[in-house]
Every structure is written in C-alpha cells, then in structure tokens.
Amino acid sequence: MKKILITGGAGYIGSKLSTYLLSKNYKVTVLDNQKYTIDSLNHLFSNKNFTFFKCDVRNKKVLNKFIKKNDIIIPLAALVGAPLCDKYKKEAIEINQQVIKNICKVLGKKIIIYLNSNSGYGIGIKNKYCDENSVLNPISLYGKTKCDAEKYILKTNNFLCFRLATVFGYSYRMRTDLLVNDFTLKIIKNKKIELFESHFRRNFISIDDVVRAIDYSIKNFKKMRNNIFNLGLSSANLTKFQLAKKIKKITKSKCIISNSSKKKDPDQRDYFVSNKKIEKMGFKTKYSLDSGIKELKNVYNNLNRKVVNNY
C-alpha cells in the first residue's frame, strides 16, 4: 500500500484528492495549516488509512520528517491566484517557491507529483496552441513562483508535473473565485455579470478529472516518469465571453452579460492550450464543462447569498 503525503491537503484540490486516493486504498497523510477551513476533511477522520497533522509547511523539521515516512509527495500548499499573491508577496515566494526547493533537496528517491498552472504560458500566440514545449512567460507573481518551483522539480529524478487548466467544480473546501465557479454563481444569483477583457482565453478542467489524472499517473508512473503534461479539456478552450454565454444557456438564466472597458484583469494571461500529450499517454477526461456547470447550478441553488465582484 503506497503512502502519500499531501501538503495543503485540506484545500480546494487537496480535500477532493485526499478523499479520492483513500477510496483507492492508498495511505494518505495531510499537512495543512487550516487557514481557510477546519472541516473540509471531517469525513475522513474515521478512515484508518488517513493521518492529519496541522502545521505550516515552512517548518522544515516537521516537513522533512513526514517526507521520510512517505513514498509519494504531492505538494499542494500554496497561495493561489494573482490577487492573493500580489497581496502577500513574501508569503507567496516562501510557500509557492522556497518550500518546493526545500522539498526537492531532501526528496532522495521519493516520487514527487507537482501541480503547476497554465498561467505560466502568459500570453499565447494568436491562433496557436500552447503545448509542453512552449516557452513559459508568466506575467503574475503567482505564475512566476509556480514556474520557478517547477524548475526545481525538473532537477529531481522521479517527478511528474501537471500544468493545470483553470479548475472548476464542487469541493469540500469550496472556492467561488475560480472563473467557472464564479461566473456560474453570479449568473444564477445576480442575474447580471459584467466582464472585463472578455476576449481573454482560458482552458478548463474539472476538479474530478484532476484527481483522476493524479491517480492515473501514480498507477502509470513508470511510463509517464520525468515528464510535463498539460491537463485540461480539449473541448474547453474558451474566451471569458464564450464561457459566460455557455453558462447562461445551460442554466437557462435571464442574466444580462455586459462588457466593461474600464477595468483590467489582474492576471493578463490569454492562451489556448493543447492537451494532446497526456491524451496520447492514455488518460481521458470524464467530466465535461457542461456537466460541471450543471453540478454548480445544483449546488448554488441551495445557497442564499448575493455576490458583487465583477469580471
């Protein structure tokens, strides 16, 4: 039975990943400071194969101790998104970048699976897809810290690196700031949404396919080892305006979609992404963008709140 260490395992992806891997009979240990939630893993504490330890991953002594005890390291602890990293620059560099460097120094022969972001592609060439050989050109501090951390990963000898598309879907530690999650909530609850720089393009991926891909990579590590893979839906390379129109149609909302030229996106990335490499490796996505929007509609219809942030 493989033993897996997940830092930031109580977070948006981490809580879903921990749950999924335990269902596949792995032993899972989570390190998390519980800054954003204290209950996202409550459903796991009765599982004999689950261990939780509250700590800050910048504590080298504690982190190193748990690395030694596990076979596979999945470092998810991070400050995520351009606005948050700009607000807490020092912490972003320490957690997103320096901690990964520290992990790589003591990794030895352990396997590390790292989740980078498509944000590293920055602004793509018009009408051309970004693939794993495309030059990284991160614009935001968030993108820069993730790409610098990836450089440390590439110097190890037992790694897999996923460059994630923008993730959507429900999680035990829900995030409503992610593009699909956010747009769906505003369109359903506010009946109007204001977009800025609506021509910017993104690729998208279900959180459920992210955790499936990680499980797939563990089971097929020998043939996938020491590679970088874009991870997204090939059917979901959309502009922000196209995404809003799709959500409006699927949710059957009477929402008014407007465009504003007065604001700028804090993260100036704009690209289409190719996911052919991982598809050729045998992994197939299971959850479409349409099904994800329908799931979010069901979740949000049970919420009673109004949001005011605009895009």
Side-chain angles (χ1 to χ4, degrees), residues 7 17-18 40 44 46 66 77 85-86 103 126 163 171 179 190 193 245 264 305:
T7 69
L17 178 61
S18 301
S40 62
L44 301 181
S46 61
F66 280 99
C85 288
D86 287 341
I103 291 173
K126 189 175 182 180
R163 293 175 180 166
S171 173
L179 211 59
N190 291 359
I193 186 169
K245 284 180 63 179
K264 286 190 174 183
R305 59 175 167 166

Side-chain angles (χ1 to χ4, degrees), residues 263-276:
K263 296 181 180 180
K264 286 190 174 183
D265 192 326
D267 192 347
Q268 291 285 299
R269 50 195 168 114
D270 176 19
Y271 45 66
F272 283 159
V273 176
S274 169
N275 303 292
K276 289 183 179 179

